[in-house]
Amino acid sequence: MRLLAPLAFVADLALPPRCPGCGAVTAVDHRFCAACWGQLRFLAPPWCSGCNRPFAFDRGVNARCAECLAHPPAHAGIRAAVAYGDVARSVVLRLKYGGRTAFAETAARHIARLMPADADLIVPVPLHRWRLWSRGFNQAALIGQALGRLSGKRCNVDLLKRPRATPMLRGLGRRARAKAVKGAFAIGPENGAILKGKAIVLVDDVYTSGATTDACTAQLLRAGASKVTILCWARVLADDASD
């Protein structure tokens, strides 16, 4: 190892760690610069007991937001590391379209604190095969695998499938989004035994309208999962969110 030390030193000079948000040089990998760190809004309680939407003040342990009172969710919560914003978006775009696959671990390191204590299995939101072929990887799967390494929980990237491609959901209303993803996800009957009675963590990069994760959650519960908690890097909190 001593013989490799000079090479590691040269590599650090040529390829120093950089901020996942802006690319500025940082002290260590996966660390944000001071400017980007200051722009991140980390999400934590107090929040809605149904969907984990943050509250401005503590309303009590079982308090729910108006949306969850009107439409109780099938999932067991949406836990996001940060609110969607300029820096959070930059990390996602550089991961998905810039090939910075190491940023999946950056995201996972911040998501790990939100892992449910009773989680049995991590399942990433899948991509359709055309999207997977064009991109070369599924960013949700990379985050899920990194989260599995950090938490010690098993990650199954093949359990949930996306046999039907879906259109862009941006700009569509609630009913139109639900219709667009209807039948887009599937679980083979051979996976029923894997899911039966299990507490599932469904992983994605960004939570927006919830149409995609709602469709995935329905399939997982139908196949026998006891509960599904959604974990993601960033969550859009604006009222006009869309996938």
PDB file of all heavy atoms in Angstrom, residues 39 83 94 107 144 235:
ATOM      1  N   GLN A  39     -27.665  26.218   0.550  1.00  0.00           N
ATOM      2  CA  GLN A  39     -28.893  26.300  -0.241  1.00  0.00           C
ATOM      3  C   GLN A  39     -29.773  25.059  -0.109  1.00  0.00           C
ATOM      4  O   GLN A  39     -30.926  25.075  -0.553  1.00  0.00           O
ATOM      5  CB  GLN A  39     -28.555  26.520  -1.715  1.00  0.00           C
ATOM      6  CG  GLN A  39     -27.898  27.843  -2.019  1.00  0.00           C
ATOM      7  CD  GLN A  39     -27.641  28.010  -3.502  1.00  0.00           C
ATOM      8  OE1 GLN A  39     -28.548  27.953  -4.332  1.00  0.00           O
ATOM      9  NE2 GLN A  39     -26.382  28.206  -3.859  1.00  0.00           N
ATOM     10  N   ALA A  83     -35.541  19.195   0.113  1.00  0.00           N
ATOM     11  CA  ALA A  83     -36.569  19.780  -0.742  1.00  0.00           C
ATOM     12  C   ALA A  83     -35.949  20.065  -2.114  1.00  0.00           C
ATOM     13  O   ALA A  83     -34.767  20.420  -2.217  1.00  0.00           O
ATOM     14  CB  ALA A  83     -37.104  21.067  -0.124  1.00  0.00           C
ATOM     15  N   ARG A  94     -26.947  16.058 -13.057  1.00  0.00           N
ATOM     16  CA  ARG A  94     -25.574  15.595 -13.298  1.00  0.00           C
ATOM     17  C   ARG A  94     -25.478  14.079 -13.158  1.00  0.00           C
ATOM     18  O   ARG A  94     -24.671  13.439 -13.833  1.00  0.00           O
ATOM     19  CB  ARG A  94     -24.613  16.289 -12.334  1.00  0.00           C
ATOM     20  CG  ARG A  94     -24.564  17.805 -12.539  1.00  0.00           C
ATOM     21  CD  ARG A  94     -23.690  18.483 -11.519  1.00  0.00           C
ATOM     22  NE  ARG A  94     -22.282  18.349 -11.864  1.00  0.00           N
ATOM     23  CZ  ARG A  94     -21.286  18.575 -11.032  1.00  0.00           C
ATOM     24  NH1 ARG A  94     -21.559  18.924  -9.773  1.00  0.00           N
ATOM     25  NH2 ARG A  94     -20.040  18.448 -11.419  1.00  0.00           N
ATOM     26  N   ALA A 107     -26.369  10.933  -2.775  1.00  0.00           N
ATOM     27  CA  ALA A 107     -27.783  10.992  -2.397  1.00  0.00           C
ATOM     28  C   ALA A 107     -28.097   9.971  -1.313  1.00  0.00           C
ATOM     29  O   ALA A 107     -28.768  10.280  -0.322  1.00  0.00           O
ATOM     30  CB  ALA A 107     -28.655  10.759  -3.624  1.00  0.00           C
ATOM     31  N   GLY A 144     -30.578   2.991  -4.811  1.00  0.00           N
ATOM     32  CA  GLY A 144     -31.035   1.878  -3.986  1.00  0.00           C
ATOM     33  C   GLY A 144     -29.910   0.947  -3.578  1.00  0.00           C
ATOM     34  O   GLY A 144     -29.835   0.504  -2.423  1.00  0.00           O
ATOM     35  N   ARG A 235     -37.651  16.128  -2.865  1.00  0.00           N
ATOM     36  CA  ARG A 235     -39.110  16.160  -2.972  1.00  0.00           C
ATOM     37  C   ARG A 235     -39.566  17.552  -3.391  1.00  0.00           C
ATOM     38  O   ARG A 235     -39.177  18.547  -2.779  1.00  0.00           O
ATOM     39  CB  ARG A 235     -39.748  15.792  -1.631  1.00  0.00           C
ATOM     40  CG  ARG A 235     -41.267  15.863  -1.632  1.00  0.00           C
ATOM     41  CD  ARG A 235     -41.841  15.407  -0.310  1.00  0.00           C
ATOM     42  NE  ARG A 235     -43.289  15.427  -0.309  1.00  0.00           N
ATOM     43  CZ  ARG A 235     -44.053  14.904   0.636  1.00  0.00           C
ATOM     44  NH1 ARG A 235     -43.470  14.323   1.694  1.00  0.00           N
ATOM     45  NH2 ARG A 235     -45.356  14.957   0.557  1.00  0.00           N
TER      46      ARG A 235
END
